[in-house]
Amino acid sequence: MPRTTTLECPGCPPLRALTFDSLGLIKVIESRGERGIPQVVERWGDPDSSKCVLAASIDDRKKDPLLAVARKNGEVEVLNPLNGEIRVVFSNVVEDGVQPEDDAIAGLHLFKRERSTGYSPLSCALLTCTTKGNASMRSIGVDKSMADVANISVTKTWKVCGSGNVLCFKVDGSENYAVFGGKGVEVNLWDLESSTKIWTAKPPPKNSLGIFTPTWFTCTTFLSNDDHRKFAAGTNNHQVHLYDISAQRRPVLSFDFRETAIKAVTEDQDGHTIYIGNGSGDLASFDMRTGKLLGCFIGKCSGSIRSMARHPELPVITSCGLDSYLRLWDINTRQLLSAVFLKQHLTNVVFDSNFVDKEIAATAQNVDGIQTTEIQTEDEIGTLPVKRKKASKEKREKKKKPEEKEESAVTKSKKKSRKHKRENSDNA
C-alpha cells in the first residue's frame, strides 16, 4: 500500500464556480456559510464526448449575465449562467468541407462592454479563434420584441498565422487587444478594432550547442488589466517568458519551472504576480518583477492542471485538470481550502463573482433586527443589570449577618463551660 497523508480542509468562503469537462457537462459548485464545504448543486447537459468543452468565457454582470461555451463538434452556445438556459447556438465552421475536429476552437472570449442599444441586454459580442488561426468576431443580437429570435452576424474575420497551430489566446482588460500563440506560432499582439497585427515576438537564439528550440506556447495572460504591453506566456518546454512590447521583441525575463509543460497561467490583481500550473500537477506563484518563486501551493494535484481562475474579490484561486478534482486554494497561505471530486476530466473553470449567500445575508439581517429590538425593550423597561447586581449583594450580606450572630453565641457558651471545668478542677 502506498503512503497517503490526509489534509484537513478548513472550508471555503461563500462562492460559486462553474466547471466544464470532457463529456460536455457543466456543473455548478457552491459553497455556503462562512466556512462551508463546496458541493455540486446543479448539472447541465447530457454526457457526450463529441460535445467536450474546449473553451469557456463568462460575463458575470449583475443583470442578465451570460456564459459562452465552445464545444468539440464546432458549436458555440450562449447560456444563462444562473439556470443553464441556452439562449443562442451556432456553428463556428467557416470553411466548407472542413470537419470541426480538424479545425477545433482554440479559444473564445465573451466581451463584457455594452454594445448598441437597439437590442436587449442579452446581446453580446464573441471572439473565437481556431487551431488553424481563423479568428472571427461575431455580434449576437436578440430583439426585444422577439426574445426567441437571435441575429448572428460575422463582423470581422482574419488570419492569425500562416502555419502552425494556435493553442492559446487572451484578450486584455480593455478588450481592445489580444495576444495569440501556439505550436510553431510566435506570440503576436493584435488590435481588435482594426484587426491588424501590431507586434510579433522574435524566436529565441540557438543555444551553445547550436540547437534551436522550436516554438511551442501553451498558455498566456496579461499581467494587468490596465496595461496591454506586458504579458506572460508558458511553453511546452517548462519555461515561462515575460514580454514587454515597448522594450524588445524577445523575452525580458525567462525562467524554468519543474520538468513538465506549463499548462495554465493566470494573473493576480496586483499586476506583478502570476500563478502557474504544469502537467505534473504543480501549482506555484511567481513575482514577475524579479522572476522569484514566491511559493508552491500545499497539496499537490495527482493529474495535469488544465485551467485556473482567480476570484476577483476573495483571496481564492481554483484549479482543475485531468485528476477530476476541483481544488480551491487560499492565496495568502497557499493552503488547500477544499477539493471536490467531479468524476470526469475537467477542461475549464470560471467564477461567478456576483454570487451572494442568501443564508448569511438573512442571518445578518436577523441579527440586526434582534439587536434593535433588545435596545428598545431595555429603554422601555429602564432596568440596568448593574443595579440588580448591587441588590443581590445586599441580600447576601443580610443573610450572612444572622449566621454570624448564631456562631458567636455558640462560641460564648463553649467558653463558659471550659471556665466551669477549670474552677471545679482547682477546688478539687
Side-chain angles (χ1 to χ4, degrees):
M1 293 295 291
R3 294 182 179 180
T4 59
T5 58
T6 58
L7 296 175
E8 294 182 0
C9 299
C12 299
L15 54 83
R16 186 172 187 263
L18 288 84
T19 61
F20 312 87
D21 57 40
S22 58
L23 293 182
L25 301 176
I26 303 175
K27 296 180 181 179
V28 182
I29 292 90
E30 291 184 1
S31 173
R32 299 181 180 274
E34 294 181 357
R35 286 294 176 185
I37 299 175
Q39 295 179 352
V40 180
V41 295
E42 287 185 86
R43 193 190 80 168
W44 303 331
D46 298 323
D48 187 358
S49 59
S50 64
K51 292 186 177 181
C52 171
V53 178
L54 302 178
S57 179
I58 188 172
D59 180 11
D60 54 350
R61 53 192 175 188
K62 293 184 179 180
K63 185 178 181 181
D64 297 324
L66 294 174
L67 172 68
V69 175
R71 299 187 180 273
K72 186 178 179 181
N73 57 4
E75 291 183 351
V76 178
E77 299 177 357
V78 179
L79 308 91
N80 184 354
L82 301 179
N83 53 19
E85 179 184 355
I86 298 176
R87 301 286 175 81
V88 180
V89 179
F90 63 90
S91 178
N92 192 64
V93 178
V94 179
E95 300 178 1
D96 297 333
V98 177
Q99 297 295 327
E101 293 80 6
D102 298 334
D103 193 14
I105 298 175
L108 175 144
H109 179 76
L110 179 63
F111 287 86
K112 297 182 180 181
R113 56 186 179 187
E114 296 182 0
R115 296 296 174 177
S116 60
T117 58
Y119 296 103
S120 69
L122 303 179
S123 305
C124 62
L126 279 172
L127 173 63
T128 58
C129 183
T130 62
T131 56
K132 292 185 177 181
N134 297 317
S136 60
M137 184 88 70
R138 286 179 173 84
S139 178
I140 302 174
V142 180
D143 195 349
K144 295 180 180 179
S145 59
M146 297 179 292
D148 297 334
V149 180
N151 182 17
I152 304 174
S153 60
V154 180
T155 58
K156 297 177 184 179
T157 58
W158 67 92
K159 194 78 172 176
V160 173
C161 61
S163 61
N165 293 326
V166 176
L167 300 179
C168 58
F169 92 89
K170 182 75 173 181
V171 178
D172 73 324
S174 64
E175 297 186 335
N176 293 324
Y177 303 92
V179 60
F180 299 85
K183 185 177 182 181
V185 180
E186 290 289 342
V187 285
N188 49 84
L189 192 67
W190 287 72
D191 187 353
L192 298 180
E193 293 294 334
S194 58
S195 302
T196 56
K197 186 190 296 186
I198 61 176
W199 183 86
T200 305
K202 193 174 182 179
K206 297 179 181 179
N207 59 12
S208 60
L209 300 176
I211 300 174
F212 175 76
T213 303
T215 302
W216 195 338
F217 291 97
T218 56
C219 52
T220 182
T221 185
F222 288 91
L223 289 187
S224 175
N225 293 328
D226 302 328
D227 189 6
H228 69 279
R229 296 173 298 175
K230 295 181 181 180
F231 58 89
T235 67
N236 194 63
N237 302 317
H238 57 84
Q239 290 182 341
V240 179
H241 300 311
L242 174 63
Y243 291 93
D244 188 354
I245 65 173
S246 61
Q248 59 187 20
R249 293 178 59 190
R250 280 180 175 159
V252 296
L253 179 66
S254 297
F255 57 86
D256 294 343
F257 178 62
R258 300 297 169 89
E259 299 296 332
T260 56
I262 307 298
K263 292 296 184 180
V265 59
T266 186
E267 76 282 359
D268 196 85
Q269 296 176 353
D270 57 7
H272 56 79
T273 304
I274 64 171
Y275 304 94
I276 299 171
N278 64 3
S280 59
D282 299 306
L283 181 63
S285 59
F286 282 84
D287 188 351
M288 296 307 292
R289 295 173 296 184
T290 59
K292 181 181 178 181
L293 174 64
L294 298 178
C296 295
F297 286 77
I298 302 172
K300 181 179 176 181
C301 305
S302 58
S304 174
I305 296 175
R306 293 306 172 94
S307 179
M308 294 189 301
R310 165 73 161 86
H311 199 283
E313 297 177 359
L314 301 173
V316 176
I317 188 173
T318 180
S319 66
C320 67
L322 300 185
D323 62 348
S324 305
Y325 273 92
L326 174 72
R327 288 179 169 85
L328 298 159
W329 317 79
D330 189 346
I331 289 176
N332 299 324
T333 61
R334 290 190 289 274
Q335 290 187 353
L336 183 66
L337 296 177
S338 186
V340 185
F341 182 65
L342 299 175
K343 298 182 180 180
Q344 285 81 26
H345 293 172
L346 302 177
T347 58
N348 283 275
V349 59
V350 295
F351 273 118
D352 183 5
S353 60
N354 289 321
F355 172 73
V356 178
D357 191 358
K358 296 181 180 179
E359 295 178 359
I360 292 180
T363 53
Q365 292 179 358
N366 292 333
V367 169
D368 294 338
I370 292 170
Q371 289 178 354
T372 54
T373 53
E374 287 180 354
I375 292 170
Q376 290 177 357
T377 52
E378 288 178 0
D379 293 338
E380 291 175 359
I381 296 172
T383 58
L384 294 174
V386 179
K387 292 183 179 179
R388 292 179 182 176
K389 289 181 181 179
K390 288 182 179 180
S392 60
K393 287 182 180 179
E394 291 176 357
K395 289 181 180 179
R396 290 175 184 174
E397 290 177 356
K398 290 180 180 179
K399 290 180 179 179
K400 288 181 180 179
K401 287 181 179 179
E403 292 178 357
E404 292 176 355
K405 291 180 180 179
E406 292 177 357
E407 289 179 357
S408 60
V410 171
T411 52
K412 287 180 180 179
S413 61
K414 287 182 179 180
K415 288 179 179 179
K416 289 181 179 180
S417 60
R418 287 175 184 173
K419 287 181 179 180
H420 287 295
K421 288 180 180 180
R422 288 176 183 175
E423 291 176 356
N424 293 328
S425 62
D426 293 334
N427 294 325

